[in-house]
Amino acid sequence: DVNESKLDLDIDWPGVFKHAHAVSKTNPFWNELSASNPFVHDIAASNRNKNNKYLSILKEKPYLFSKVSSNRDSLASSGDELDIDCLLRKTSARRSGRSKSVSDFLDIVDNQRFNPHKTTPQKTIPSDVTWLQNDREAYKMAWLSHRQLTRSCLDLEAMSHSPGWAQTQATDIHVVCKLNHEGGSVQLPDSDINIHVPVGHVLPGEFQEIGLKAILNPPSSFNNELSITVSPLIELTLSNLNTKEAIFLEVKVAAKVKNDPLSQVMSDIVCFYSLDKEGPFKKLENCYTYQDTIQVKLRDLSHVMYAVIAVQANKIQPPATNVWDYVQRTISVGIYGPKYIHPTFTAVFTVFGHNYIPGKLTICDIKKGGKNMPPVVFQLWGKHTFLLEKPQDLNISLVSCDPDFEVKMEDQSKNIKEEELKTGEMVRQQFLFSMLGCREMHFFVFLVQIKVLKSSQVTQFHVTTPDPAPKLSGIINRPKRLQNRKEIKSAPLLLIPTVKYPKFQDKTLSVNTYGVALKTVLRQNKIDYLLEYFKGDTIAILGEDKVKAIGQTKIKEWYVGVLRKKIGLVHCKNVKVISREQAMDTADSELTTRNLVEQIALPFKKLTYIYSVVLSTVSESVYDWRALAEVLGYSHMSLDDFNEAHADKESERVAHVVKRMKEDCHANKKKRLFLYELIVALLKIDCQGLVARLTQDTIILTAAVKLGKYWRELAEKLARLTKQQIEAYEVPHQGKNGAVALEMMWKPAYDFLYTWGAHYGDSYRDVLQDLQSALDKMKNPVTKHWRELTGTLILVNCMEVLRASAFSRMEEEE
């Protein structure tokens, strides 16, 4: 971890960066500014919190992470947690020097200092900070020009009430890389546009700085009856023209020539080149085409160059009517919206004349209250590609799948004209969503349908919106879908200090129902959470509900039972249920409340979780830090143990206690497990609703990781998802090859399970039981080897008996 008292940078300019703690004394706005300023947030955060995982992940959606590095342990193991910092840091290290913020520099310095043996990636894009190191003025100008593109000082409280207009940031999608004489490759982020630089392109000791940028609207002169553009206009910049070798441009385009002889003879995919954005363009001869990929050798180099790929026809020979008839043309569409959803917001449907769909898009023609708004940067929410035989009129409709949201009546269906598609330019249609009533904001799913009006072709896909805007405190505002009616509710702000948690009492469980074993069951292969017993044993039955779960071979109904101080499932058909009065000898089925809590929390020793989400959920749901500290073994803590940052809010104090416990568990990993100890503590202060919420969240994440590619089979069973709907979940996570990497497959699985679980509202038991049943019914049930879901079903079925026995109904005397 970064030493709190010393944040030294490799770029050691006196006075450029000061210790954040010192700054806070001289700048009264520092803390407020850092909450919404992406450039200073990480610096401030690292001083507030040694374990910065929670804060850094809150800048992203909790379930969207960067690609997992190959040398990291597989997510398929039921690990203690996901190392989010490790995942996020991979992306910042790849960015070029010119586009790095202060937090990125800190990440790199951090990485170099604490990971000296870490292997560097291939030499394609070496990370380079040295160009700024000795030139303070150059650094200052680069920093200011980047910051100028960004409205970084946002009022998050105002944002949570506005329809998303404040969420703007730098938008030019470009990359700048510095290569030496060994060459390498430069790729435009999230695209199939590459520059390959051979060895010896520049002399040893010299450097080439390459800039690559995509201009979404290609030159209009290339789109007519004989020609269509199939790539964006690519801007290429070079710093050094003292070169020895040519460079190669490689682009995957949105079309390929059909295989029939006429198309092959009459048309060709070609590259046009110019030194000016507006032209004139000349056709390049050094082109190699393989299906939909074209590689071009660029010899005549200049400081600024432009290239565009087009399909050209020599002439149109009937039955063909235009160049479209000679090619298989792919249309790419993207759905864009604000970073966070609001009670009313605009979604923008965008058609591109190429297959490059940027992650962010500047929208200049948004209207609010009949007035034009300043340009806004919208985020990509979902994308889709489909084949279109020829330019035709399209009808676009968006339909909300959630009854809490609707599309404005006049916006429900819109048309895109054939002539607009022929121009090759970006075409946009806006759809206004609004929330019905005054319910709590939450993400939702909507359907996008594209109809080709002159044919019967219909394409559709689903899009999941982002979460609502976070609160100023930085805590994720997630749907409180798992509140248990018996949980302590959120009291008004002034009453929160008066919330009193009941005292946990370690005593023998009070059991009303018993079962007598009708036969002996001993298993050669021991199965977690299933009891073993002899004929005639008296088993205490906890709760009246039955659990459905797979046994050795088939799905059965089970009671939750206790025998010889062990809690587990007993097959309903193997016991005769009797009352407490009929039970003869109950000594073997007695259990204390402490033992119950420790056993029912056992699944959490093996569940995968996201530390930042657990931390935020607990800190916003527990109202007395002292009660939590006491059951965690920190009864000696006092207000003096909190620094100024934690002194004001109860949620900050609770978070501090949880972080302290996390650090202690990490210091003794062999004997202590963070999530297990936390759940035991929450059960001991009767936060059952919170435990239920954490249970559902961790089960859904772990199930997604366990399932991997088999999530598709589960999606069909659980929600009858079609192949197209399954693809819609996978599209946002596809790699450059158009497929989801195996180690990334847990992401669409998580997106689906999270969306599916949200529709159950408060019924967390039904979520767990239905998920268990669906997994059990799969061809190769994951649950045969992974029993933690069964363990959590035991947990939720024991909550009532725990509450009845461990907490006195009478108000305790002071």
PDB file of all heavy atoms in Angstrom, residues 110-128:
ATOM      1  N   ASP A 110       2.992   3.329  -8.584  1.00  0.00           N
ATOM      2  CA  ASP A 110       2.566   2.296  -7.634  1.00  0.00           C
ATOM      3  C   ASP A 110       2.965   0.915  -8.119  1.00  0.00           C
ATOM      4  O   ASP A 110       3.544   0.111  -7.395  1.00  0.00           O
ATOM      5  CB  ASP A 110       1.036   2.349  -7.552  1.00  0.00           C
ATOM      6  CG  ASP A 110       0.571   2.291  -6.104  1.00  0.00           C
ATOM      7  OD1 ASP A 110       1.396   2.592  -5.230  1.00  0.00           O
ATOM      8  OD2 ASP A 110      -0.592   1.947  -5.895  1.00  0.00           O
ATOM      9  N   ASN A 111       2.652   0.658  -9.376  1.00  0.00           N
ATOM     10  CA  ASN A 111       2.922  -0.654  -9.983  1.00  0.00           C
ATOM     11  C   ASN A 111       4.413  -0.950 -10.008  1.00  0.00           C
ATOM     12  O   ASN A 111       4.868  -2.030  -9.671  1.00  0.00           O
ATOM     13  CB  ASN A 111       2.406  -0.662 -11.423  1.00  0.00           C
ATOM     14  CG  ASN A 111       1.283  -1.662 -11.602  1.00  0.00           C
ATOM     15  OD1 ASN A 111       0.815  -2.220 -10.621  1.00  0.00           O
ATOM     16  ND2 ASN A 111       0.881  -1.879 -12.817  1.00  0.00           N
ATOM     17  N   GLN A 112       5.192   0.072 -10.454  1.00  0.00           N
ATOM     18  CA  GLN A 112       6.629  -0.146 -10.575  1.00  0.00           C
ATOM     19  C   GLN A 112       7.269  -0.374  -9.211  1.00  0.00           C
ATOM     20  O   GLN A 112       8.164  -1.177  -9.057  1.00  0.00           O
ATOM     21  CB  GLN A 112       7.264   1.068 -11.271  1.00  0.00           C
ATOM     22  CG  GLN A 112       6.887   1.141 -12.751  1.00  0.00           C
ATOM     23  CD  GLN A 112       7.280   2.463 -13.361  1.00  0.00           C
ATOM     24  OE1 GLN A 112       7.650   3.397 -12.648  1.00  0.00           O
ATOM     25  NE2 GLN A 112       7.202   2.557 -14.676  1.00  0.00           N
ATOM     26  N   ARG A 113       6.751   0.376  -8.200  1.00  0.00           N
ATOM     27  CA  ARG A 113       7.382   0.289  -6.888  1.00  0.00           C
ATOM     28  C   ARG A 113       7.069  -1.027  -6.190  1.00  0.00           C
ATOM     29  O   ARG A 113       7.889  -1.624  -5.538  1.00  0.00           O
ATOM     30  CB  ARG A 113       6.928   1.465  -6.024  1.00  0.00           C
ATOM     31  CG  ARG A 113       7.733   1.584  -4.738  1.00  0.00           C
ATOM     32  CD  ARG A 113       7.259   2.751  -3.916  1.00  0.00           C
ATOM     33  NE  ARG A 113       7.300   3.973  -4.684  1.00  0.00           N
ATOM     34  CZ  ARG A 113       6.352   4.897  -4.633  1.00  0.00           C
ATOM     35  NH1 ARG A 113       5.303   4.713  -3.879  1.00  0.00           N
ATOM     36  NH2 ARG A 113       6.441   5.991  -5.342  1.00  0.00           N
ATOM     37  N   PHE A 114       5.826  -1.487  -6.336  1.00  0.00           N
ATOM     38  CA  PHE A 114       5.399  -2.629  -5.532  1.00  0.00           C
ATOM     39  C   PHE A 114       5.319  -3.934  -6.319  1.00  0.00           C
ATOM     40  O   PHE A 114       5.031  -4.965  -5.766  1.00  0.00           O
ATOM     41  CB  PHE A 114       4.068  -2.318  -4.865  1.00  0.00           C
ATOM     42  CG  PHE A 114       4.148  -1.111  -3.983  1.00  0.00           C
ATOM     43  CD1 PHE A 114       3.501   0.069  -4.318  1.00  0.00           C
ATOM     44  CD2 PHE A 114       4.925  -1.144  -2.831  1.00  0.00           C
ATOM     45  CE1 PHE A 114       3.598   1.183  -3.504  1.00  0.00           C
ATOM     46  CE2 PHE A 114       5.017  -0.036  -2.013  1.00  0.00           C
ATOM     47  CZ  PHE A 114       4.362   1.133  -2.349  1.00  0.00           C
ATOM     48  N   ASN A 115       5.530  -3.880  -7.634  1.00  0.00           N
ATOM     49  CA  ASN A 115       5.534  -5.106  -8.436  1.00  0.00           C
ATOM     50  C   ASN A 115       6.796  -5.152  -9.302  1.00  0.00           C
ATOM     51  O   ASN A 115       6.730  -5.147 -10.524  1.00  0.00           O
ATOM     52  CB  ASN A 115       4.302  -5.180  -9.340  1.00  0.00           C
ATOM     53  CG  ASN A 115       3.035  -5.246  -8.534  1.00  0.00           C
ATOM     54  OD1 ASN A 115       2.755  -6.251  -7.918  1.00  0.00           O
ATOM     55  ND2 ASN A 115       2.287  -4.158  -8.539  1.00  0.00           N
ATOM     56  N   PRO A 116       7.993  -5.171  -8.670  1.00  0.00           N
ATOM     57  CA  PRO A 116       9.226  -5.095  -9.461  1.00  0.00           C
ATOM     58  C   PRO A 116       9.414  -6.282 -10.405  1.00  0.00           C
ATOM     59  O   PRO A 116      10.087  -6.175 -11.402  1.00  0.00           O
ATOM     60  CB  PRO A 116      10.330  -5.066  -8.390  1.00  0.00           C
ATOM     61  CG  PRO A 116       9.697  -5.672  -7.178  1.00  0.00           C
ATOM     62  CD  PRO A 116       8.253  -5.330  -7.247  1.00  0.00           C
ATOM     63  N   HIS A 117       8.814  -7.430 -10.087  1.00  0.00           N
ATOM     64  CA  HIS A 117       9.028  -8.626 -10.919  1.00  0.00           C
ATOM     65  C   HIS A 117       7.915  -8.834 -11.918  1.00  0.00           C
ATOM     66  O   HIS A 117       7.902  -9.828 -12.619  1.00  0.00           O
ATOM     67  CB  HIS A 117       9.140  -9.861 -10.023  1.00  0.00           C
ATOM     68  CG  HIS A 117      10.208  -9.717  -8.973  1.00  0.00           C
ATOM     69  ND1 HIS A 117      11.531  -9.512  -9.289  1.00  0.00           N
ATOM     70  CD2 HIS A 117      10.123  -9.689  -7.615  1.00  0.00           C
ATOM     71  CE1 HIS A 117      12.238  -9.403  -8.157  1.00  0.00           C
ATOM     72  NE2 HIS A 117      11.390  -9.497  -7.130  1.00  0.00           N
ATOM     73  N   LYS A 118       6.968  -7.893 -11.997  1.00  0.00           N
ATOM     74  CA  LYS A 118       5.815  -8.084 -12.884  1.00  0.00           C
ATOM     75  C   LYS A 118       6.269  -8.059 -14.334  1.00  0.00           C
ATOM     76  O   LYS A 118       7.017  -7.189 -14.749  1.00  0.00           O
ATOM     77  CB  LYS A 118       4.796  -6.975 -12.631  1.00  0.00           C
ATOM     78  CG  LYS A 118       3.462  -7.267 -13.246  1.00  0.00           C
ATOM     79  CD  LYS A 118       2.424  -6.347 -12.679  1.00  0.00           C
ATOM     80  CE  LYS A 118       1.059  -6.733 -13.208  1.00  0.00           C
ATOM     81  NZ  LYS A 118       0.007  -5.907 -12.688  1.00  0.00           N
ATOM     82  N   THR A 119       5.821  -9.019 -15.116  1.00  0.00           N
ATOM     83  CA  THR A 119       6.242  -9.087 -16.508  1.00  0.00           C
ATOM     84  C   THR A 119       5.531  -8.019 -17.308  1.00  0.00           C
ATOM     85  O   THR A 119       4.355  -7.771 -17.125  1.00  0.00           O
ATOM     86  CB  THR A 119       5.917 -10.466 -17.121  1.00  0.00           C
ATOM     87  OG1 THR A 119       4.530 -10.702 -16.919  1.00  0.00           O
ATOM     88  CG2 THR A 119       6.718 -11.549 -16.454  1.00  0.00           C
ATOM     89  N   THR A 120       6.268  -7.367 -18.225  1.00  0.00           N
ATOM     90  CA  THR A 120       5.655  -6.330 -19.059  1.00  0.00           C
ATOM     91  C   THR A 120       4.984  -6.968 -20.252  1.00  0.00           C
ATOM     92  O   THR A 120       5.384  -8.031 -20.700  1.00  0.00           O
ATOM     93  CB  THR A 120       6.750  -5.362 -19.561  1.00  0.00           C
ATOM     94  OG1 THR A 120       7.765  -6.129 -20.184  1.00  0.00           O
ATOM     95  CG2 THR A 120       7.346  -4.569 -18.410  1.00  0.00           C
ATOM     96  N   PRO A 121       3.938  -6.307 -20.797  1.00  0.00           N
ATOM     97  CA  PRO A 121       3.270  -6.863 -21.974  1.00  0.00           C
ATOM     98  C   PRO A 121       4.166  -6.780 -23.190  1.00  0.00           C
ATOM     99  O   PRO A 121       5.281  -6.258 -23.131  1.00  0.00           O
ATOM    100  CB  PRO A 121       2.044  -5.963 -22.114  1.00  0.00           C
ATOM    101  CG  PRO A 121       2.407  -4.691 -21.428  1.00  0.00           C
ATOM    102  CD  PRO A 121       3.356  -5.079 -20.343  1.00  0.00           C
ATOM    103  N   GLN A 122       3.665  -7.282 -24.320  1.00  0.00           N
ATOM    104  CA  GLN A 122       4.475  -7.274 -25.536  1.00  0.00           C
ATOM    105  C   GLN A 122       4.872  -5.853 -25.881  1.00  0.00           C
ATOM    106  O   GLN A 122       4.256  -4.896 -25.456  1.00  0.00           O
ATOM    107  CB  GLN A 122       3.683  -7.891 -26.688  1.00  0.00           C
ATOM    108  CG  GLN A 122       2.352  -7.196 -26.917  1.00  0.00           C
ATOM    109  CD  GLN A 122       1.673  -7.697 -28.155  1.00  0.00           C
ATOM    110  OE1 GLN A 122       2.325  -8.215 -29.036  1.00  0.00           O
ATOM    111  NE2 GLN A 122       0.371  -7.550 -28.226  1.00  0.00           N
ATOM    112  N   LYS A 123       5.884  -5.706 -26.721  1.00  0.00           N
ATOM    113  CA  LYS A 123       6.501  -4.410 -26.935  1.00  0.00           C
ATOM    114  C   LYS A 123       5.690  -3.468 -27.806  1.00  0.00           C
ATOM    115  O   LYS A 123       6.162  -2.404 -28.165  1.00  0.00           O
ATOM    116  CB  LYS A 123       7.878  -4.611 -27.571  1.00  0.00           C
ATOM    117  CG  LYS A 123       7.771  -5.227 -28.974  1.00  0.00           C
ATOM    118  CD  LYS A 123       9.132  -5.328 -29.617  1.00  0.00           C
ATOM    119  CE  LYS A 123       9.017  -5.931 -31.023  1.00  0.00           C
ATOM    120  NZ  LYS A 123      10.281  -6.008 -31.690  1.00  0.00           N
ATOM    121  N   THR A 124       4.465  -3.834 -28.146  1.00  0.00           N
ATOM    122  CA  THR A 124       3.720  -3.034 -29.113  1.00  0.00           C
ATOM    123  C   THR A 124       3.546  -1.583 -28.681  1.00  0.00           C
ATOM    124  O   THR A 124       3.735  -0.678 -29.457  1.00  0.00           O
ATOM    125  CB  THR A 124       2.333  -3.641 -29.390  1.00  0.00           C
ATOM    126  OG1 THR A 124       1.686  -3.835 -28.132  1.00  0.00           O
ATOM    127  CG2 THR A 124       2.439  -4.951 -30.091  1.00  0.00           C
ATOM    128  N   ILE A 125       3.161  -1.360 -27.398  1.00  0.00           N
ATOM    129  CA  ILE A 125       2.942   0.014 -26.949  1.00  0.00           C
ATOM    130  C   ILE A 125       3.671   0.236 -25.629  1.00  0.00           C
ATOM    131  O   ILE A 125       3.076   0.095 -24.570  1.00  0.00           O
ATOM    132  CB  ILE A 125       1.436   0.309 -26.788  1.00  0.00           C
ATOM    133  CG1 ILE A 125       0.673  -0.088 -28.049  1.00  0.00           C
ATOM    134  CG2 ILE A 125       1.205   1.779 -26.476  1.00  0.00           C
ATOM    135  CD1 ILE A 125      -0.817   0.042 -27.899  1.00  0.00           C
ATOM    136  N   PRO A 126       4.981   0.519 -25.672  1.00  0.00           N
ATOM    137  CA  PRO A 126       5.678   0.721 -24.406  1.00  0.00           C
ATOM    138  C   PRO A 126       5.158   1.969 -23.690  1.00  0.00           C
ATOM    139  O   PRO A 126       4.946   2.998 -24.302  1.00  0.00           O
ATOM    140  CB  PRO A 126       7.150   0.902 -24.828  1.00  0.00           C
ATOM    141  CG  PRO A 126       7.124   1.197 -26.273  1.00  0.00           C
ATOM    142  CD  PRO A 126       5.844   0.704 -26.831  1.00  0.00           C
ATOM    143  N   SER A 127       4.919   1.844 -22.391  1.00  0.00           N
ATOM    144  CA  SER A 127       4.423   2.970 -21.618  1.00  0.00           C
ATOM    145  C   SER A 127       5.558   3.979 -21.456  1.00  0.00           C
ATOM    146  O   SER A 127       6.666   3.639 -21.074  1.00  0.00           O
ATOM    147  CB  SER A 127       3.963   2.456 -20.260  1.00  0.00           C
ATOM    148  OG  SER A 127       3.492   3.529 -19.527  1.00  0.00           O
ATOM    149  N   ASP A 128       5.300   5.257 -21.738  1.00  0.00           N
ATOM    150  CA  ASP A 128       6.375   6.225 -21.778  1.00  0.00           C
ATOM    151  C   ASP A 128       5.984   7.491 -21.041  1.00  0.00           C
ATOM    152  O   ASP A 128       5.025   8.157 -21.404  1.00  0.00           O
ATOM    153  CB  ASP A 128       6.703   6.539 -23.240  1.00  0.00           C
ATOM    154  CG  ASP A 128       7.810   7.574 -23.353  1.00  0.00           C
ATOM    155  OD1 ASP A 128       8.722   7.531 -22.505  1.00  0.00           O
ATOM    156  OD2 ASP A 128       7.748   8.429 -24.250  1.00  0.00           O
TER     157      ASP A 128
END
